[in-house]
Amino acid sequence: KQEVTQIPAALSVPEGENLVLNCSFTDSAIYNLQWFRQDPGKGLTSLLLIQSSQREQTSGRLNASLDKSSGRSTLYIAASQPGDSATYLCAVLVNAGNMLTFGGGTRLMVKP
Amino acid sequence: NAGVTQTPKFQVLKTGQSMTLQCAQDMNHEYMSWYRQDPGMGLRLIHYSVGAGITDQGEVPNGYNVSRSTTEDFPLRLLSAAPSQTSVYFCASSYYPVTDTQYFGPGTRLTVL
């Protein structure tokens, strides 16, 4: 059974700092990996999707990498801002039909 | 586009009551799914559908029923609510999950007393 782990569970940084969130998964047979953002009391917003054949994806200040063989992904956030404060979730697609397996999330707080 | 919509936003039920959580999307997505989010357990898949008339079970399907009569709608039915079903429920849709992102609704917060 696929298991997804995110470390750390919570992170507090000063504004302007570059930071890395980690995600690991136990089974490398995935179709893709996605990073989501969740604000308190809200739904999930997709940030980046990395296909299994890709190594990284970038969107603005965000960069996500994928190393399937080692079962790891990282989300790099450059020049963090207070507006980046949220919970970040990674999820892997384990079958083509729609089954996402989620990690427990990293709760990020960026202090002004 | 309204995206993925869910109703109601909040609901309180008594043990044994039944209800239907509504989910609709206007993006012509074939793939739709229901997740529940619980503290310490993360998001877990309940049921999913790959198109109208086709549904399948996810990780935690017991106590829930789904049907997909149209592309747009994917309701989730609680047959006899139990306190263990207290959770936040999210509906998601995607054009083709392997290559396309999944869009999530705002969620329904359900409390079963």
PDB file of all heavy atoms in Angstrom, chain B residues 52-83:
ATOM      1  N   ALA B  52     -19.872   9.060 -16.639  1.00  0.00           N
ATOM      2  CA  ALA B  52     -21.285   8.828 -16.308  1.00  0.00           C
ATOM      3  C   ALA B  52     -21.587   7.336 -16.342  1.00  0.00           C
ATOM      4  O   ALA B  52     -21.211   6.638 -17.285  1.00  0.00           O
ATOM      5  CB  ALA B  52     -22.175   9.584 -17.283  1.00  0.00           C
ATOM      6  N   GLY B  53     -22.235   6.869 -15.283  1.00  0.00           N
ATOM      7  CA  GLY B  53     -22.614   5.477 -15.172  1.00  0.00           C
ATOM      8  C   GLY B  53     -21.558   4.544 -14.623  1.00  0.00           C
ATOM      9  O   GLY B  53     -21.813   3.352 -14.428  1.00  0.00           O
ATOM     10  N   ILE B  54     -20.352   5.073 -14.329  1.00  0.00           N
ATOM     11  CA  ILE B  54     -19.239   4.229 -13.864  1.00  0.00           C
ATOM     12  C   ILE B  54     -18.714   4.772 -12.547  1.00  0.00           C
ATOM     13  O   ILE B  54     -18.261   5.920 -12.474  1.00  0.00           O
ATOM     14  CB  ILE B  54     -18.091   4.205 -14.893  1.00  0.00           C
ATOM     15  CG1 ILE B  54     -18.606   3.806 -16.267  1.00  0.00           C
ATOM     16  CG2 ILE B  54     -16.999   3.247 -14.429  1.00  0.00           C
ATOM     17  CD1 ILE B  54     -17.586   3.998 -17.371  1.00  0.00           C
ATOM     18  N   THR B  55     -18.796   3.952 -11.496  1.00  0.00           N
ATOM     19  CA  THR B  55     -18.250   4.352 -10.199  1.00  0.00           C
ATOM     20  C   THR B  55     -17.431   3.209  -9.623  1.00  0.00           C
ATOM     21  O   THR B  55     -17.596   2.049 -10.018  1.00  0.00           O
ATOM     22  CB  THR B  55     -19.358   4.734  -9.199  1.00  0.00           C
ATOM     23  OG1 THR B  55     -20.169   3.587  -8.930  1.00  0.00           O
ATOM     24  CG2 THR B  55     -20.210   5.860  -9.731  1.00  0.00           C
ATOM     25  N   ASP B  56     -16.567   3.535  -8.673  1.00  0.00           N
ATOM     26  CA  ASP B  56     -15.753   2.517  -8.029  1.00  0.00           C
ATOM     27  C   ASP B  56     -15.406   2.969  -6.622  1.00  0.00           C
ATOM     28  O   ASP B  56     -15.505   4.158  -6.296  1.00  0.00           O
ATOM     29  CB  ASP B  56     -14.483   2.246  -8.825  1.00  0.00           C
ATOM     30  CG  ASP B  56     -13.937   0.849  -8.585  1.00  0.00           C
ATOM     31  OD1 ASP B  56     -14.391   0.175  -7.626  1.00  0.00           O
ATOM     32  OD2 ASP B  56     -13.063   0.419  -9.339  1.00  0.00           O
ATOM     33  N   GLN B  57     -15.015   2.007  -5.795  1.00  0.00           N
ATOM     34  CA  GLN B  57     -14.718   2.293  -4.400  1.00  0.00           C
ATOM     35  C   GLN B  57     -13.288   2.773  -4.239  1.00  0.00           C
ATOM     36  O   GLN B  57     -12.383   2.339  -4.929  1.00  0.00           O
ATOM     37  CB  GLN B  57     -14.933   1.036  -3.555  1.00  0.00           C
ATOM     38  CG  GLN B  57     -16.362   0.549  -3.537  1.00  0.00           C
ATOM     39  CD  GLN B  57     -16.513  -0.691  -2.667  1.00  0.00           C
ATOM     40  OE1 GLN B  57     -15.528  -1.275  -2.228  1.00  0.00           O
ATOM     41  NE2 GLN B  57     -17.742  -1.086  -2.416  1.00  0.00           N
ATOM     42  N   GLY B  58     -13.122   3.648  -3.250  1.00  0.00           N
ATOM     43  CA  GLY B  58     -11.802   4.081  -2.872  1.00  0.00           C
ATOM     44  C   GLY B  58     -11.341   3.366  -1.623  1.00  0.00           C
ATOM     45  O   GLY B  58     -11.676   2.210  -1.381  1.00  0.00           O
ATOM     46  N   GLU B  59     -10.603   4.082  -0.787  1.00  0.00           N
ATOM     47  CA  GLU B  59      -9.986   3.506   0.401  1.00  0.00           C
ATOM     48  C   GLU B  59     -10.975   3.289   1.539  1.00  0.00           C
ATOM     49  O   GLU B  59     -10.874   2.326   2.297  1.00  0.00           O
ATOM     50  CB  GLU B  59      -8.853   4.426   0.871  1.00  0.00           C
ATOM     51  CG  GLU B  59      -8.046   3.913   2.039  1.00  0.00           C
ATOM     52  CD  GLU B  59      -6.995   4.919   2.489  1.00  0.00           C
ATOM     53  OE1 GLU B  59      -6.844   5.970   1.835  1.00  0.00           O
ATOM     54  OE2 GLU B  59      -6.335   4.646   3.507  1.00  0.00           O
ATOM     55  N   VAL B  60     -11.951   4.195   1.690  1.00  0.00           N
ATOM     56  CA  VAL B  60     -12.877   4.145   2.831  1.00  0.00           C
ATOM     57  C   VAL B  60     -14.325   4.253   2.365  1.00  0.00           C
ATOM     58  O   VAL B  60     -15.018   5.222   2.664  1.00  0.00           O
ATOM     59  CB  VAL B  60     -12.535   5.251   3.860  1.00  0.00           C
ATOM     60  CG1 VAL B  60     -11.269   4.931   4.605  1.00  0.00           C
ATOM     61  CG2 VAL B  60     -12.435   6.617   3.189  1.00  0.00           C
ATOM     62  N   PRO B  61     -14.870   3.257   1.645  1.00  0.00           N
ATOM     63  CA  PRO B  61     -16.207   3.389   1.050  1.00  0.00           C
ATOM     64  C   PRO B  61     -17.382   3.020   1.966  1.00  0.00           C
ATOM     65  O   PRO B  61     -18.526   3.358   1.649  1.00  0.00           O
ATOM     66  CB  PRO B  61     -16.132   2.387  -0.110  1.00  0.00           C
ATOM     67  CG  PRO B  61     -15.223   1.314   0.401  1.00  0.00           C
ATOM     68  CD  PRO B  61     -14.191   2.034   1.248  1.00  0.00           C
ATOM     69  N   ASN B  62     -17.095   2.337   3.091  1.00  0.00           N
ATOM     70  CA  ASN B  62     -18.198   1.805   3.897  1.00  0.00           C
ATOM     71  C   ASN B  62     -19.056   2.923   4.472  1.00  0.00           C
ATOM     72  O   ASN B  62     -18.560   3.875   5.057  1.00  0.00           O
ATOM     73  CB  ASN B  62     -17.653   0.930   5.023  1.00  0.00           C
ATOM     74  CG  ASN B  62     -17.025  -0.339   4.493  1.00  0.00           C
ATOM     75  OD1 ASN B  62     -17.282  -0.742   3.361  1.00  0.00           O
ATOM     76  ND2 ASN B  62     -16.181  -0.963   5.295  1.00  0.00           N
ATOM     77  N   GLY B  63     -20.380   2.765   4.312  1.00  0.00           N
ATOM     78  CA  GLY B  63     -21.325   3.741   4.843  1.00  0.00           C
ATOM     79  C   GLY B  63     -21.695   4.823   3.851  1.00  0.00           C
ATOM     80  O   GLY B  63     -22.499   5.700   4.176  1.00  0.00           O
ATOM     81  N   TYR B  64     -21.114   4.777   2.669  1.00  0.00           N
ATOM     82  CA  TYR B  64     -21.366   5.777   1.643  1.00  0.00           C
ATOM     83  C   TYR B  64     -21.810   5.118   0.336  1.00  0.00           C
ATOM     84  O   TYR B  64     -21.380   4.013   0.018  1.00  0.00           O
ATOM     85  CB  TYR B  64     -20.098   6.597   1.352  1.00  0.00           C
ATOM     86  CG  TYR B  64     -19.450   7.223   2.550  1.00  0.00           C
ATOM     87  CD1 TYR B  64     -18.400   6.575   3.202  1.00  0.00           C
ATOM     88  CD2 TYR B  64     -19.867   8.463   3.030  1.00  0.00           C
ATOM     89  CE1 TYR B  64     -17.783   7.152   4.306  1.00  0.00           C
ATOM     90  CE2 TYR B  64     -19.244   9.049   4.129  1.00  0.00           C
ATOM     91  CZ  TYR B  64     -18.213   8.375   4.754  1.00  0.00           C
ATOM     92  OH  TYR B  64     -17.606   8.946   5.848  1.00  0.00           O
ATOM     93  N   ASN B  65     -22.637   5.853  -0.402  1.00  0.00           N
ATOM     94  CA  ASN B  65     -23.112   5.369  -1.682  1.00  0.00           C
ATOM     95  C   ASN B  65     -22.997   6.502  -2.705  1.00  0.00           C
ATOM     96  O   ASN B  65     -23.191   7.672  -2.348  1.00  0.00           O
ATOM     97  CB  ASN B  65     -24.578   4.932  -1.565  1.00  0.00           C
ATOM     98  CG  ASN B  65     -24.942   3.917  -2.610  1.00  0.00           C
ATOM     99  OD1 ASN B  65     -24.159   3.620  -3.495  1.00  0.00           O
ATOM    100  ND2 ASN B  65     -26.147   3.395  -2.506  1.00  0.00           N
ATOM    101  N   VAL B  66     -22.674   6.151  -3.954  1.00  0.00           N
ATOM    102  CA  VAL B  66     -22.582   7.165  -4.999  1.00  0.00           C
ATOM    103  C   VAL B  66     -23.258   6.652  -6.257  1.00  0.00           C
ATOM    104  O   VAL B  66     -23.447   5.445  -6.436  1.00  0.00           O
ATOM    105  CB  VAL B  66     -21.125   7.543  -5.350  1.00  0.00           C
ATOM    106  CG1 VAL B  66     -20.445   8.274  -4.198  1.00  0.00           C
ATOM    107  CG2 VAL B  66     -20.328   6.302  -5.765  1.00  0.00           C
ATOM    108  N   SER B  67     -23.606   7.597  -7.125  1.00  0.00           N
ATOM    109  CA  SER B  67     -24.078   7.278  -8.468  1.00  0.00           C
ATOM    110  C   SER B  67     -23.641   8.416  -9.373  1.00  0.00           C
ATOM    111  O   SER B  67     -23.361   9.530  -8.909  1.00  0.00           O
ATOM    112  CB  SER B  67     -25.595   7.105  -8.486  1.00  0.00           C
ATOM    113  OG  SER B  67     -26.228   8.309  -8.069  1.00  0.00           O
ATOM    114  N   ARG B  68     -23.577   8.162 -10.649  1.00  0.00           N
ATOM    115  CA  ARG B  68     -23.163   9.202 -11.601  1.00  0.00           C
ATOM    116  C   ARG B  68     -24.065   9.088 -12.819  1.00  0.00           C
ATOM    117  O   ARG B  68     -23.784   8.361 -13.762  1.00  0.00           O
ATOM    118  CB  ARG B  68     -21.690   8.991 -11.999  1.00  0.00           C
ATOM    119  CG  ARG B  68     -21.159  10.093 -12.912  1.00  0.00           C
ATOM    120  CD  ARG B  68     -20.364  11.094 -12.159  1.00  0.00           C
ATOM    121  NE  ARG B  68     -19.814  12.128 -13.020  1.00  0.00           N
ATOM    122  CZ  ARG B  68     -18.608  12.049 -13.615  1.00  0.00           C
ATOM    123  NH1 ARG B  68     -17.848  10.968 -13.448  1.00  0.00           N
ATOM    124  NH2 ARG B  68     -18.181  13.035 -14.378  1.00  0.00           N
ATOM    125  N   SER B  69     -25.154   9.814 -12.786  1.00  0.00           N
ATOM    126  CA  SER B  69     -26.109   9.742 -13.898  1.00  0.00           C
ATOM    127  C   SER B  69     -25.793  10.782 -14.980  1.00  0.00           C
ATOM    128  O   SER B  69     -26.216  10.619 -16.129  1.00  0.00           O
ATOM    129  CB  SER B  69     -27.537   9.923 -13.391  1.00  0.00           C
ATOM    130  OG  SER B  69     -27.652  11.144 -12.690  1.00  0.00           O
ATOM    131  N   THR B  70     -25.068  11.835 -14.625  1.00  0.00           N
ATOM    132  CA  THR B  70     -24.675  12.849 -15.598  1.00  0.00           C
ATOM    133  C   THR B  70     -23.194  13.139 -15.447  1.00  0.00           C
ATOM    134  O   THR B  70     -22.595  12.836 -14.405  1.00  0.00           O
ATOM    135  CB  THR B  70     -25.449  14.171 -15.415  1.00  0.00           C
ATOM    136  OG1 THR B  70     -25.041  14.764 -14.172  1.00  0.00           O
ATOM    137  CG2 THR B  70     -26.949  13.955 -15.422  1.00  0.00           C
ATOM    138  N   THR B  71     -22.592  13.754 -16.450  1.00  0.00           N
ATOM    139  CA  THR B  71     -21.188  14.142 -16.346  1.00  0.00           C
ATOM    140  C   THR B  71     -20.981  15.185 -15.259  1.00  0.00           C
ATOM    141  O   THR B  71     -19.966  15.200 -14.581  1.00  0.00           O
ATOM    142  CB  THR B  71     -20.691  14.700 -17.697  1.00  0.00           C
ATOM    143  OG1 THR B  71     -20.815  13.696 -18.689  1.00  0.00           O
ATOM    144  CG2 THR B  71     -19.231  15.147 -17.623  1.00  0.00           C
ATOM    145  N   GLU B  72     -21.974  16.069 -15.068  1.00  0.00           N
ATOM    146  CA  GLU B  72     -21.810  17.218 -14.190  1.00  0.00           C
ATOM    147  C   GLU B  72     -21.916  16.905 -12.700  1.00  0.00           C
ATOM    148  O   GLU B  72     -21.293  17.550 -11.876  1.00  0.00           O
ATOM    149  CB  GLU B  72     -22.862  18.286 -14.523  1.00  0.00           C
ATOM    150  CG  GLU B  72     -22.718  18.922 -15.894  1.00  0.00           C
ATOM    151  CD  GLU B  72     -23.246  18.021 -16.999  1.00  0.00           C
ATOM    152  OE1 GLU B  72     -24.032  17.092 -16.715  1.00  0.00           O
ATOM    153  OE2 GLU B  72     -22.854  18.254 -18.164  1.00  0.00           O
ATOM    154  N   ASP B  73     -22.720  15.918 -12.327  1.00  0.00           N
ATOM    155  CA  ASP B  73     -23.064  15.734 -10.922  1.00  0.00           C
ATOM    156  C   ASP B  73     -22.550  14.411 -10.370  1.00  0.00           C
ATOM    157  O   ASP B  73     -22.618  13.371 -11.037  1.00  0.00           O
ATOM    158  CB  ASP B  73     -24.590  15.792 -10.749  1.00  0.00           C
ATOM    159  CG  ASP B  73     -25.158  17.111 -11.217  1.00  0.00           C
ATOM    160  OD1 ASP B  73     -24.801  18.143 -10.616  1.00  0.00           O
ATOM    161  OD2 ASP B  73     -25.941  17.114 -12.184  1.00  0.00           O
ATOM    162  N   PHE B  74     -22.124  14.454  -9.104  1.00  0.00           N
ATOM    163  CA  PHE B  74     -21.617  13.241  -8.450  1.00  0.00           C
ATOM    164  C   PHE B  74     -21.999  13.322  -6.968  1.00  0.00           C
ATOM    165  O   PHE B  74     -21.192  13.663  -6.112  1.00  0.00           O
ATOM    166  CB  PHE B  74     -20.102  13.159  -8.633  1.00  0.00           C
ATOM    167  CG  PHE B  74     -19.495  11.841  -8.219  1.00  0.00           C
ATOM    168  CD1 PHE B  74     -20.111  10.638  -8.525  1.00  0.00           C
ATOM    169  CD2 PHE B  74     -18.280  11.800  -7.542  1.00  0.00           C
ATOM    170  CE1 PHE B  74     -19.542   9.435  -8.162  1.00  0.00           C
ATOM    171  CE2 PHE B  74     -17.695  10.598  -7.176  1.00  0.00           C
ATOM    172  CZ  PHE B  74     -18.335   9.410  -7.487  1.00  0.00           C
ATOM    173  N   PRO B  75     -23.237  12.985  -6.615  1.00  0.00           N
ATOM    174  CA  PRO B  75     -23.673  13.092  -5.220  1.00  0.00           C
ATOM    175  C   PRO B  75     -23.147  11.950  -4.361  1.00  0.00           C
ATOM    176  O   PRO B  75     -22.961  10.823  -4.829  1.00  0.00           O
ATOM    177  CB  PRO B  75     -25.201  13.037  -5.338  1.00  0.00           C
ATOM    178  CG  PRO B  75     -25.455  12.283  -6.615  1.00  0.00           C
ATOM    179  CD  PRO B  75     -24.325  12.606  -7.533  1.00  0.00           C
ATOM    180  N   LEU B  76     -22.934  12.258  -3.099  1.00  0.00           N
ATOM    181  CA  LEU B  76     -22.470  11.273  -2.102  1.00  0.00           C
ATOM    182  C   LEU B  76     -23.569  11.093  -1.069  1.00  0.00           C
ATOM    183  O   LEU B  76     -23.998  12.056  -0.439  1.00  0.00           O
ATOM    184  CB  LEU B  76     -21.195  11.765  -1.416  1.00  0.00           C
ATOM    185  CG  LEU B  76     -20.613  10.864  -0.333  1.00  0.00           C
ATOM    186  CD1 LEU B  76     -19.992   9.610  -0.948  1.00  0.00           C
ATOM    187  CD2 LEU B  76     -19.561  11.607   0.501  1.00  0.00           C
ATOM    188  N   ARG B  77     -24.023   9.869  -0.896  1.00  0.00           N
ATOM    189  CA  ARG B  77     -25.113   9.589   0.035  1.00  0.00           C
ATOM    190  C   ARG B  77     -24.595   8.898   1.279  1.00  0.00           C
ATOM    191  O   ARG B  77     -23.850   7.913   1.180  1.00  0.00           O
ATOM    192  CB  ARG B  77     -26.166   8.710  -0.635  1.00  0.00           C
ATOM    193  CG  ARG B  77     -26.839   9.371  -1.811  1.00  0.00           C
ATOM    194  CD  ARG B  77     -27.915   8.474  -2.427  1.00  0.00           C
ATOM    195  NE  ARG B  77     -28.396   9.051  -3.678  1.00  0.00           N
ATOM    196  CZ  ARG B  77     -27.797   8.869  -4.852  1.00  0.00           C
ATOM    197  NH1 ARG B  77     -26.731   8.107  -4.931  1.00  0.00           N
ATOM    198  NH2 ARG B  77     -28.290   9.429  -5.938  1.00  0.00           N
ATOM    199  N   LEU B  78     -24.992   9.423   2.436  1.00  0.00           N
ATOM    200  CA  LEU B  78     -24.745   8.757   3.706  1.00  0.00           C
ATOM    201  C   LEU B  78     -26.017   7.991   4.040  1.00  0.00           C
ATOM    202  O   LEU B  78     -27.093   8.589   4.183  1.00  0.00           O
ATOM    203  CB  LEU B  78     -24.424   9.760   4.806  1.00  0.00           C
ATOM    204  CG  LEU B  78     -22.990  10.272   4.874  1.00  0.00           C
ATOM    205  CD1 LEU B  78     -22.663  11.165   3.688  1.00  0.00           C
ATOM    206  CD2 LEU B  78     -22.736  10.992   6.185  1.00  0.00           C
ATOM    207  N   LEU B  79     -25.910   6.697   4.147  1.00  0.00           N
ATOM    208  CA  LEU B  79     -27.101   5.854   4.273  1.00  0.00           C
ATOM    209  C   LEU B  79     -27.693   5.901   5.673  1.00  0.00           C
ATOM    210  O   LEU B  79     -28.898   6.002   5.851  1.00  0.00           O
ATOM    211  CB  LEU B  79     -26.724   4.427   3.891  1.00  0.00           C
ATOM    212  CG  LEU B  79     -25.999   4.301   2.532  1.00  0.00           C
ATOM    213  CD1 LEU B  79     -25.515   2.884   2.298  1.00  0.00           C
ATOM    214  CD2 LEU B  79     -26.911   4.759   1.403  1.00  0.00           C
ATOM    215  N   SER B  80     -26.844   5.824   6.697  1.00  0.00           N
ATOM    216  CA  SER B  80     -27.260   5.878   8.096  1.00  0.00           C
ATOM    217  C   SER B  80     -26.093   6.486   8.863  1.00  0.00           C
ATOM    218  O   SER B  80     -25.138   5.789   9.205  1.00  0.00           O
ATOM    219  CB  SER B  80     -27.598   4.480   8.621  1.00  0.00           C
ATOM    220  OG  SER B  80     -27.937   4.539   9.996  1.00  0.00           O
ATOM    221  N   ALA B  81     -26.157   7.787   9.081  1.00  0.00           N
ATOM    222  CA  ALA B  81     -25.006   8.527   9.597  1.00  0.00           C
ATOM    223  C   ALA B  81     -24.540   8.003  10.961  1.00  0.00           C
ATOM    224  O   ALA B  81     -25.359   7.659  11.827  1.00  0.00           O
ATOM    225  CB  ALA B  81     -25.332  10.008   9.688  1.00  0.00           C
ATOM    226  N   ALA B  82     -23.216   7.975  11.125  1.00  0.00           N
ATOM    227  CA  ALA B  82     -22.594   7.565  12.381  1.00  0.00           C
ATOM    228  C   ALA B  82     -21.604   8.644  12.818  1.00  0.00           C
ATOM    229  O   ALA B  82     -21.062   9.367  11.960  1.00  0.00           O
ATOM    230  CB  ALA B  82     -21.855   6.238  12.193  1.00  0.00           C
ATOM    231  N   PRO B  83     -21.338   8.770  14.123  1.00  0.00           N
ATOM    232  CA  PRO B  83     -20.378   9.786  14.583  1.00  0.00           C
ATOM    233  C   PRO B  83     -19.015   9.680  13.904  1.00  0.00           C
ATOM    234  O   PRO B  83     -18.329  10.697  13.720  1.00  0.00           O
ATOM    235  CB  PRO B  83     -20.279   9.517  16.090  1.00  0.00           C
ATOM    236  CG  PRO B  83     -21.614   8.965  16.435  1.00  0.00           C
ATOM    237  CD  PRO B  83     -22.016   8.111  15.251  1.00  0.00           C
TER     238      PRO B  83
END
